């Protein structure tokens, strides 16, 4: 039986949380490890879950035996007591020559369809694993493409993915990514409006990206994004520089950020995102969790709810 409650579609657990926040580590920061070794490491270190990037070295989304491998992985995650979110930011999983290519914005409709197909597979994987969300991003606007056309392509390419997500009861969590068409939380709301505010469209909030380019400080960014939060990524970063840094190497003051996140009631995973430090992934995984636990608000006393009031069952 799992040590941690299964996640519902909005990231809320079905049972009482032992800590206000649940921390995970991304497999894109453990790319030199076999997937089973990475999962065992995270469980041994005390992580609550894993951000699983679908990629050739771990769970290959293009593998012929994907369904069988996903079923085995679901059993392994349950045995280890790890929650999961499914991430789709693999650099070369669809094209060995173009980083993150093809994207949802590519001029060629068949190329856009390939990216949509990957996301549809990700929804299937997430449903089988009991993941709390599927993460994705827009991609960079291709040269020669005007902004209106790019937004139209993005909305059209995501429509079938949202239909699948709704059928599977798994939120699609779009990440604002510096340099992409959808780069800020304000851009996320532009997409929501274009799609008619679908229920299963949520937000992946990267705390480092808030420090990098959002107009609000990271803690205020968390509060503003709270109604749409379905997945959270975290690392350190500096203002104006999109470089994922280990904790303490950037400018973020983490206790106010984690206090704000806990206050929203968010119970999905908060996943450490250090892909460029994968060469030393085990070291950074071991170092990151104690940092986050020290920075996070203390768990409420036994018998109280998140507001600090006595529980109705006590």
């Amino acid at each position: 039986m799992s040590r941690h409650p299964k996640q519902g579609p909005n990231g809320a657990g079905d049972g009482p949380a032992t800590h206000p926040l649940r921390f995970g580590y991304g497999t894109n920061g453990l790319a030199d490890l076999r997937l089973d070794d990475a999962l065992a490491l995270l469980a041994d270190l005390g992580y609550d879950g894993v951000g699983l990037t679908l990629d050739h070295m771990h769970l290959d989304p293009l593998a012929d035996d994907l369904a069988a491998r996903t079923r085995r992985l679901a059993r392994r995650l349950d045995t280890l007591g790890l929650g999961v979110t499914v991430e789709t930011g693999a650099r070369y999983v669809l094209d060995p020559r173009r980083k993150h290519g093809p994207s949802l914005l590519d001029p060629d409709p068949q190329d856009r369809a390939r990216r949509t197909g990957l996301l549809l597979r990700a929804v299937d994987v997430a449903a089988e694993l009991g993941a709390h969300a599927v993460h994705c991003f827009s991609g960079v606007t291709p040269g020669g493409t005007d902004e209106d056309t790019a937004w139209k392509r993005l909305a059209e390419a995501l429509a079938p993915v949202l239909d699948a997500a709704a059928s599977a009861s798994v939120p699609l969590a779009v990440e604002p990514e510096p340099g992409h068409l959808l780069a800020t939380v304000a851009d996320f709301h532009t997409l929501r409006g274009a799609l008619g505010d679908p229920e299963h469209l949520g937000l992946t909030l990267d705390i480092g990206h808030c420090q990098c380019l959002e107009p609000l400080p990271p803690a205020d960014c968390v509060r503003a994004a709270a109604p749409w939060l379905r997945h959270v990524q975290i690392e350190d970063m500096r203002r104006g520089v999109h470089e994922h840094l280990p904790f303490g190497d950037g400018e973020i003051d983490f206790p106010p950020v984690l206090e704000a996140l806990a206050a929203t009631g968010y119970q999905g995973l908060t996943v450490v995102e250090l892909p460029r430090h994968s060469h030393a992934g085990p070291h950074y995984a071991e170092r990151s969790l104690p940092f986050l636990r020290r920075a996070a608000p203390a768990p409420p006393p036994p018998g109280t709810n998140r507001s600090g009031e006595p529980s109705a069952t006590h």
Side-chain angles (χ1 to χ4, degrees), residues 91-148:
R91 292 185 178 97
Y92 296 101
V93 70
L94 291 178
D95 189 324
R97 295 176 181 268
R98 287 192 296 160
K99 180 181 176 182
H100 298 317
S103 81
L104 298 170
L105 309 178
D106 274 23
D108 187 334
Q110 292 185 341
D111 279 348
R112 296 198 298 275
R114 290 175 61 205
R115 177 61 60 173
T116 296
L118 174 66
L119 297 181
L120 291 171
R121 286 191 169 217
V123 170
D124 289 342
V125 168
E128 181 67 33
L129 297 181
H132 71 78
V134 171
H135 150 278
C136 70
F137 45 57
S138 69
V140 176
T141 304
T145 300
D146 66 86
E147 191 168 289
D148 287 345

Side-chain angles (χ1 to χ4, degrees), residues 2-203:
S2 295
R3 296 178 305 186
H4 304 290
K6 292 292 185 182
Q7 296 298 299
N10 64 353
D14 295 330
T18 58
H19 195 279
L21 296 173
R22 303 174 65 241
F23 295 117
Y25 201 92
T27 58
N28 60 359
L30 297 168
D32 293 320
L33 275 66
R34 297 178 183 87
L35 179 56
D36 194 65
D37 290 341
L39 298 177
L41 171 72
L42 298 181
D44 287 346
L45 291 175
Y47 281 91
D48 301 293
V50 59
L52 175 65
T53 295
L54 301 183
D55 208 346
H56 64 88
M57 79 289 287
H58 288 148
L59 188 66
D60 186 348
L62 304 184
D64 292 336
D65 61 344
L66 176 62
R69 293 178 63 192
T70 302
R71 288 192 293 270
R72 290 195 297 270
L73 177 58
R75 293 191 293 270
R76 182 61 172 155
L77 289 168
D78 192 63
T79 297
L80 293 172
L82 292 173
V84 62
T85 187
V86 172
E87 302 193 358
T88 61
R91 292 185 178 97
Y92 296 101
V93 70
L94 291 178
D95 189 324
R97 295 176 181 268
R98 287 192 296 160
K99 180 181 176 182
H100 298 317
S103 81
L104 298 170
L105 309 178
D106 274 23
D108 187 334
Q110 292 185 341
D111 279 348
R112 296 198 298 275
R114 290 175 61 205
R115 177 61 60 173
T116 296
L118 174 66
L119 297 181
L120 291 171
R121 286 191 169 217
V123 170
D124 289 342
V125 168
E128 181 67 33
L129 297 181
H132 71 78
V134 171
H135 150 278
C136 70
F137 45 57
S138 69
V140 176
T141 304
T145 300
D146 66 86
E147 191 168 289
D148 287 345
T149 298
W151 282 110
K152 182 179 179 181
R153 288 175 184 168
L154 180 61
E156 290 177 349
L158 283 179
V161 184
L162 284 164
D163 289 344
S167 296
S169 296
V170 178
L172 185 68
V174 179
E175 179 187 7
E177 182 78 20
H180 285 207
L181 173 68
L182 198 157
T184 66
V185 174
D187 293 333
F188 165 74
H189 291 300
T190 297
L191 177 63
R192 284 181 57 239
L195 288 166
D197 194 16
E199 179 182 355
H200 279 79
L201 179 64
L203 175 68

